[in-house]
Amino acid sequence: MYITLSKNTKIGSTLDPISTGQKRVIIKESEIKYAQFLPFATILDELALRELPRHEAERVGVLSVGGPRYSDVSWQFAKVALERGANKVNPLQFQHTVGTGNPSTIGAIVGANSFIMTIGSGPFAFFQILERSEVLITNNIVDAIYVCASFHATPELNKSIHKNDLNVKGGDNSQMAIITSKKINDESIKFSAIHSIENHGESIFLDDQGRIENLDVDCLNLYTCYSCNGFILLKNAVSKEHRLKKFTICSKEKERYKINFTIEETSNFY
Amino acid sequence: MIQVNNIDAITPLGNTWESTWKALIKGEKELSNSNKESSYFSLDEFVSSINCIERSVKSHNNAIVTPALRLFKKIVLTNSNHPSYFGTTNGDDAPLMSLVNLIVKGDSPDSISSKQLWRALLHDVVMKHSEQTMNITPEWVMSACASSMHATIFAAMDINCGIHEKSLVYGIDSLSDIGVLGFKRLRIGGNNKCSPMLQGDYGMRVGEAAAVQSLSKNQKGEASLVSFSMRVDPNNGINPEKNVQILNDCILDSVNKAGIELNDIDAIYAHGTGTEKNDILESKVIFMLFNNKTPVTSIKGSVGHTMGAAGILNNMCAIETIKSRILPAVIGTGEPIEPISLIRNKSIRLKKCEYVLTISSGFGGNYVSCIFKS
């Protein structure tokens, strides 16, 4: 997989993070055990996993995207430490454990026995885990890999994002797939449906082919666009020209994806 | 076989890999005051002054500098465009702490700058720097304390597949409020003691380090990576007997893949954190497989637990042992948990050293083992 990206990307967003009230409802209705101790991104992944058909394999691994998906947990940990003191923090919420906490939670459900880990830290984390899956399967390390991508941001950070006109908002969603083939392509990846969350009446929906039905590229936030839905989104971007405003090339070369982004350079925070 | 070369490291024992190794074989213990340049803090000192923001985030020429970046800058190979793999626990959370601190102190979230926010969100200060200095986007691998071992394995696999000819593997982790507090609250760090594989005085000392190795297929190396294996038990800790079985399988798998017998292994670098659960498990498995015939050591009594860098430091030590036949001693007090051949008090010189086994494990239940050959 060859990926290049121009610096200083900027993608518009209309997705808002879900409210605390909505979150409570989701957690309650999910009936996930010990949900109150889990990062919200993990809850979203667990919900997405329910929509994914189980795959029987002898050797199973789990890869999860890195980046800011655990910021709610780190934020909470840091806030408690600074406000209430070091003895009041929840040890399960510190970065060194939450990094592997998500794939570990998913790994426990699917019976992972080869590895669980988080890969990547930038917008292309999801592509990296697809690429890494290919190599792991090619090297006969594992038979099936569950890949997880979810995002959840904190209200405080979203406020700052908004104020600074980054035009990026932290929506909440999750996507999961099982990789079983040496060649990663459209047919070899089984995606679960995106777990859609109501956001002021706007939701993401996929049709039964995994295509986004009701959302324009411009309406996705940075991490929804790249880390979470990037693969599906780009697949669809090829076929629907009106969504290609900011993606110039997306083609396949020798069974690999070559994706070139030329995105308007409108921000300069680097 | 993958050829491996040690390049450099900065640890609580020394500001270069050479000085670190010399200190290890002398049996020195990390000295927080002697290594100020590495910005190492003792745990107690660190926890007593939880507000480490001044230490953590500074701006220099308009760029944000974090402790992890300071470490990284010491070892980074500038102008190198080799594919790179970074093993870390994602502990570069200083910008996030900085941000939270501002808000807790009463600043409005609206007053936070875009740059501060971006850094806090992405934990990517080191990544950004690496992209700029090496002109390449590294692959980040986070599997807690096994991170840099997994990074090494990924680099080796990519070379085996013909994707790359040569690559660099980095292990990097800095002390941070979040990390230190977390370990302390888990009650596995905080008493500032660390006696790996020894009973009675359990505890873990958190450290920080950065290290880099090069891997290649054709270039002559100091040693070669002949095999590796990885296993996981996501329910880590719930069933100790199952964990024994999993680590046992992991080691046996790497030995089988290397095409050798257990008694061909000349030395073992255990993960040996000093914590009760890890060390009892590792000691049991090593005793089951190797009895008391193979010399075993752990460097964490000297260097501390350097988290994401721990795996690569074990691998670097393995290569030095292959080169010099010297195996450093375990620093700590107490009797061995199992009657294994644990090297105590003083480094030893092995009669022969052809194969060295390294072991690593991490939160989430990952176990990794590698075998290096002369």
Side-chain angles (χ1 to χ4, degrees):
Chain A
M1 190 175 293
Y2 306 97
I3 298 166
T4 58
L5 171 69
S6 65
K7 285 182 179 175
N8 306 331
T9 60
K10 181 175 178 177
I11 299 286
S13 169
T14 57
L15 286 178
D16 286 326
I18 57 169
S19 68
T20 310
Q22 282 175 305
K23 227 191 277 186
R24 281 202 198 103
V25 172
I26 291 166
I27 290 171
K28 192 178 174 190
E29 288 181 356
S30 72
E31 295 181 354
I32 290 171
K33 221 175 174 184
Y34 308 117
Q36 69 269 34
F37 299 116
L38 296 174
F40 195 67
T42 303
I43 291 169
L44 294 177
D45 274 347
E46 279 207 45
L47 291 170
L49 182 64
R50 290 177 185 178
E51 299 180 39
L52 196 64
R54 287 296 178 93
H55 184 85
E56 294 299 324
E58 193 180 330
R59 298 169 302 170
V60 177
V62 179
L63 296 178
S64 192
V65 297
R69 64 206 304 266
Y70 307 118
S71 59
D72 60 330
V73 185
S74 299
W75 184 272
Q76 182 65 18
F77 183 97
K79 207 171 165 200
V80 170
L82 290 166
E83 278 182 342
R84 298 168 58 198
N87 291 328
K88 300 292 180 189
V89 297
N90 179 349
L92 297 178
Q93 288 183 322
F94 80 110
Q95 199 70 31
H96 301 66
T97 52
V98 296
T100 47
N102 186 74
S104 185
T105 304
I106 300 302
I109 298 169
V110 302
N113 51 10
S114 287
F115 54 82
I116 55 107
M117 67 186 86
T118 297
I119 286 181
S121 182
F124 292 116
F126 191 61
F127 293 97
Q128 281 184 330
I129 58 176
L130 292 179
E131 195 174 29
R132 179 51 55 205
S133 301
E134 198 175 40
V135 176
L136 282 159
I137 291 172
T138 304
N139 275 267
N140 197 26
I141 301 292
V142 67
D143 301 311
I145 302 172
Y146 286 75
V147 297
C148 324
S150 59
F151 181 69
H152 169 65
T154 60
E156 291 87 347
L157 295 185
N158 277 307
K159 273 183 203 167
S160 296
I161 290 169
H162 184 61
K163 167 70 183 174
N164 285 284
D165 196 28
L166 291 183
N167 205 13
V168 174
K169 285 185 183 177
D172 296 276
N173 59 52
S174 171
Q175 184 178 307
M176 191 164 288
I178 308 176
I179 314 287
T180 54
S181 165
K182 287 180 185 177
K183 294 289 177 192
I184 306 289
N185 54 38
D186 293 16
E187 290 74 36
S188 68
I189 301 177
K190 294 173 190 167
F191 281 103
S192 69
I194 289 176
H195 183 76
S196 61
I197 306 289
E198 292 292 330
N199 289 286
H200 298 286
E202 190 166 20
S203 305
I204 301 170
F205 291 108
L206 293 184
D207 63 20
D208 54 3
Q209 300 296 311
R211 290 187 295 249
I212 295 170
E213 279 184 335
N214 65 332
L215 205 64
D216 196 281
V217 170
D218 287 351
C219 294
L220 293 172
N221 72 72
L222 186 67
Y223 281 91
T224 308
C225 178
Y226 290 127
S227 290
C228 300
N229 306 333
F231 195 81
I232 280 182
L233 183 67
L234 289 166
K235 249 174 24 175
N236 288 280
V238 183
S239 59
K240 294 182 182 178
E241 279 189 8
H242 66 279
R243 289 181 179 167
L244 278 171
K245 287 173 191 170
K246 293 174 182 176
F247 301 102
T248 54
I249 303 171
C250 176
S251 62
K252 250 181 176 180
E253 285 188 358
K254 294 178 185 172
E255 295 302 312
R256 284 170 169 263
Y257 286 90
K258 181 170 183 176
I259 303 158
N260 291 324
F261 296 82
T262 50
I263 297 168
E264 290 171 350
E265 297 192 5
T266 48
S267 63
N268 58 356
F269 42 83
Y270 279 131
Chain B
M1 279 193 294
I2 305 296
Q3 301 294 308
V4 189
N5 282 300
N6 289 342
I7 297 179
D8 201 4
I10 177 165
T11 73
L13 273 182
N15 288 332
T16 62
W17 171 243
E18 196 183 346
S19 57
T20 297
W21 176 247
K22 275 182 184 167
L24 272 171
I25 57 180
K26 274 185 193 169
E28 288 178 8
K29 206 173 165 182
E30 51 83 5
L31 300 166
S32 55
N33 293 329
S34 69
N35 196 27
K36 281 181 181 166
E37 211 178 338
S38 76
S39 68
Y40 180 82
F41 274 51
S42 77
L43 188 66
D44 288 343
E45 186 183 346
F46 200 81
V47 173
S48 66
S49 58
I50 173 175
N51 186 349
C52 70
I53 306 307
E54 287 75 20
R55 168 188 181 265
S56 305
V57 186
K58 285 179 181 168
S59 289
H60 179 66
N61 290 340
N62 241 353
I64 292 177
V65 181
T66 63
L69 181 56
R70 286 193 201 104
L71 291 173
F72 177 68
K73 278 179 156 182
K74 294 272 184 192
I75 59 156
V76 67
L77 304 176
T78 50
N79 302 319
S80 161
N81 59 357
H82 292 300
S84 299
Y85 303 76
F86 280 24
T88 180
T89 58
N90 207 3
D92 193 9
D93 43 26
L96 178 66
M97 285 296 290
S98 172
L99 210 62
V100 175
N101 195 33
L102 289 173
I103 292 173
V104 168
K105 280 180 177 171
D107 282 23
S108 161
D110 295 348
S111 66
I112 293 164
S113 75
S114 311
K115 191 179 264 187
Q116 279 176 306
L117 173 78
W118 206 244
R119 298 305 190 209
L121 267 171
L122 295 181
H123 305 283
D124 76 337
V125 177
V126 175
M127 184 169 76
K128 206 71 220 162
H129 182 80
S130 62
E131 281 175 0
Q132 285 162 358
T133 52
M134 300 192 293
N135 198 25
I136 200 161
T137 303
E139 179 169 341
W140 286 84
V141 182
M142 286 155 272
S143 54
C145 304
S147 299
S148 53
M149 284 281 257
H150 276 125
T152 304
I153 289 173
F154 286 178
M157 284 193 306
D158 286 356
I159 290 171
N160 271 334
C161 283
I163 296 172
H164 305 307
E165 280 188 5
K166 183 180 177 180
S167 41
L168 297 171
V169 180
Y170 292 85
I172 180 165
D173 246 313
S174 66
L175 286 173
S176 68
D177 298 299
I178 289 180
V180 174
L181 286 177
F183 282 123
K184 190 173 169 65
R185 288 286 289 140
L186 280 172
R187 295 179 187 171
I188 55 174
N191 56 6
N192 220 8
K193 292 174 182 173
C194 182
S195 298
M197 319 297 276
L198 300 168
Q199 55 184 315
D201 208 9
Y202 295 111
M204 189 181 85
R205 197 167 58 248
V206 190
E208 61 183 357
V212 56
Q213 277 187 319
S214 72
L215 272 65
S216 67
K217 193 150 198 172
N218 303 317
Q219 194 179 338
K220 174 71 183 155
E222 295 169 302
S224 50
L225 172 62
V226 285
S227 70
F228 53 79
S229 183
M230 45 186 166
R231 294 282 190 276
V232 69
D233 173 20
N235 298 307
N236 188 19
I238 293 175
N239 184 345
E241 289 308 312
K242 190 180 171 192
N243 288 337
V244 166
Q245 192 55 50
I246 288 171
L247 179 58
N248 185 74
D249 289 351
C250 183
I251 294 171
L252 279 177
D253 186 44
S254 57
V255 169
N256 290 338
K257 281 178 182 167
I260 56 174
E261 302 291 328
L262 284 169
N263 56 18
D264 289 327
I265 301 287
D266 298 305
I268 300 168
Y269 278 91
H271 188 54
T273 54
T275 58
E276 189 172 1
K277 277 187 180 170
N278 178 81
D279 287 6
I280 289 176
L281 164 67
E282 258 190 308
S283 298
K284 261 188 186 175
V285 174
I286 289 170
F287 183 65
M288 273 167 55
L289 293 173
F290 299 93
N291 205 295
N292 64 350
K293 289 172 186 159
T294 310
V296 182
T297 192
S298 162
I299 62 169
K300 291 182 181 62
S302 301
V303 82
H305 190 349
T306 54
M307 302 175 282
I312 196 168
L313 287 181
N314 259 8
N315 290 350
M316 290 172 90
C317 286
I319 288 169
E320 293 299 336
T321 296
I322 284 171
K323 280 161 58 184
S324 65
R325 289 190 285 125
I326 295 174
L327 194 63
V330 170
I331 303 299
T333 54
E335 291 302 310
I337 296 166
E338 297 283 347
I340 55 176
S341 177
L342 197 66
I343 307 305
R344 304 290 308 276
N345 305 321
K346 203 177 166 188
S347 302
I348 61 161
R349 185 177 285 274
L350 302 166
K351 283 181 186 166
K352 78 169 186 72
C353 187
E354 192 177 1
Y355 292 99
V356 177
L357 170 76
T358 60
I359 303 169
S360 192
S361 59
F363 277 123
N366 280 304
Y367 298 99
V368 189
S369 61
C370 289
I371 295 177
F372 292 88
K373 184 182 184 296
S374 55

